[in-house]
Amino acid sequence: MRFTRRRLLSTGAGLAALSLAPARVWAELALGDAKVTTVSDGSLMLPGDFIFQHMPEAELATVLQEAGVARDRLEPECNVTLYQGGGNTVLFDVGSGPDFMPTAGSVVDSLDAIGVAPDDITHVVFTHAHPDHIWGLLDDFDDPVFANANYMIGRDEWDYWWDPDTVNTIGEARAAFAVGAKRRLEAIEDQIERFDDGQEILPGIAAVASYGHTPGHMSFEIRNGSNAALIAGDAIGNHHVAFRKPDWPSGSDQDAALAAQTRARLFDRLTADDMTLIGFHLPNGGIGRAEQASDGYRFTQDI
């Protein structure tokens, strides 16, 4: 298994100050004869309370200081995973598109920078339907950006966002998430396949239920011979408190208690099987490992 990190300066002079992030960072992982690449969709700009609001402040300050993370403002990367193997070119999630945050929405440009066009994508697989993962589905004419792809989503995740009552029960702060998800799922209703926990959705790719961040969030184990990696989506959503204090409730999770249980289970799996971890919001392209520490876990990219 081979892991490399690269940095590509964004092209195009004259970009507005709040357009794309100043650099696109991606990482690569060789998995047998398959290749995994994370491509940047930019980054988010979030208030600290989006995650930290219900955490114990004194202990939190220590964790954040050690990680070099500010309490009041977060700018997590958005890493979209590309899998190329077995004749398939698979994209896990599609990023934000132009309508969520001005600092995100660059996945098509990042794919272009490594020689992959939207029409090359054979499958789009969704971890979940939050805006930074699914709003990049449609172009300016409301047509799918990845026109040749087959689409796939967990059955429970589909059912949750398809339910017309979700917009009324998700809470005012996330109501726009429900509206946006439903509109995009409607656009591919006749082109999408639903799957269940444990199902091998494509050769070498198996679904792993990781509920809590959303009601039907899915992670994916990709395996080639003895080599394996876990695409965790937002089930492990950052490199600081999620690792050091996985039992703490995060404001980013729709069911914080269930999400904490999921993190504990995934960390057990990652460390027991010595698996590579790929996280949507983890730093430097998001590929690394979870190592047990005296106080929880730590994210390392020395692999």
Side-chain angles (χ1 to χ4, degrees):
M1 190 179 300
R2 185 180 72 256
F3 169 66
T4 61
R5 279 176 284 171
R6 301 180 179 180
R7 181 176 298 269
L8 174 71
L9 295 180
S10 61
T11 58
L15 292 176
L18 287 180
S19 58
L20 302 182
R24 299 191 187 107
V25 179
W26 75 85
E28 293 178 347
L29 172 70
L31 203 66
D33 57 3
K35 182 171 74 170
V36 178
T37 310
T38 55
V39 294
S40 177
D41 191 52
S43 61
L44 303 183
M45 300 173 64
L46 302 171
D49 275 350
F50 182 72
I51 291 178
F52 304 139
Q53 184 175 9
H54 300 296
M55 298 179 180
E57 289 292 339
E59 291 180 81
L60 174 63
T62 300
V63 172
L64 297 183
Q65 182 178 19
E66 291 175 354
V69 173
R71 168 65 176 83
D72 60 342
R73 180 183 176 90
L74 296 167
E75 298 182 17
E77 292 180 15
C78 297
N79 303 302
V80 177
T81 301
L82 177 73
Y83 174 87
Q84 295 168 293
N88 293 321
T89 302
V90 185
L91 201 63
F92 291 87
D93 298 327
V94 293
S96 298
D99 299 327
F100 185 50
M101 287 191 182
T103 51
S106 61
V107 67
V108 172
D109 290 337
S110 294
L111 285 168
D112 180 67
I114 60 170
V116 177
D119 287 352
D120 295 334
I121 303 300
T122 61
H123 300 80
V124 168
V125 180
F126 295 108
T127 62
H128 64 297
H130 276 168
D132 50 331
H133 296 256
I134 198 172
W135 280 21
L137 177 67
L138 303 179
D139 63 19
D140 292 339
F141 301 96
D142 282 348
D143 293 321
V145 172
F146 305 97
N148 296 333
N150 297 304
Y151 297 92
M152 310 179 81
I153 194 171
R155 192 179 312 278
D156 289 343
E157 187 73 359
W158 170 276
D159 289 346
Y160 176 73
W161 297 104
W162 195 257
D163 185 346
D165 199 38
T166 293
V167 69
N168 301 315
T169 58
I170 196 173
E172 183 178 355
R174 286 186 166 99
F177 292 13
V179 174
K182 183 69 176 294
R183 182 168 77 85
R184 287 157 178 84
L185 293 175
E186 285 175 341
I188 55 172
E189 178 183 4
D190 298 329
Q191 303 164 255
I192 196 164
E193 176 184 345
R194 271 79 84 185
F195 55 81
D196 299 301
D197 177 34
Q199 183 176 336
E200 186 177 47
I201 62 170
L202 290 168
I205 303 175
V208 178
S210 46
Y211 302 166
H213 183 70
T214 62
H217 186 288
M218 283 285 184
S219 299
F220 301 93
E221 181 178 307
I222 51 176
R223 183 171 291 277
N224 192 317
S226 61
N227 296 322
L230 184 75
I231 299 172
D234 283 4
I236 300 174
N238 59 70
H239 66 290
H240 35 86
V241 292
F243 278 76
R244 294 297 304 277
K245 303 290 184 180
D247 58 329
W248 282 1
S250 172
S252 65
D253 297 324
Q254 290 184 222
D255 185 331
L258 180 57
Q261 295 172 18
T262 291
R263 280 192 295 277
R265 177 169 49 84
L266 293 181
F267 280 130
D268 284 345
R269 182 173 187 158
L270 287 162
T271 53
D273 296 343
D274 194 27
M275 291 177 65
T276 300
L277 168 63
I278 305 171
F280 192 86
H281 293 302
L282 299 182
N284 299 318
I287 299 180
R289 289 187 185 275
E291 290 186 347
Q292 287 185 309
S294 59
D295 186 9
Y297 301 85
R298 68 183 184 93
F299 181 58
T300 177
Q301 294 184 293
D302 296 327
I303 63 175

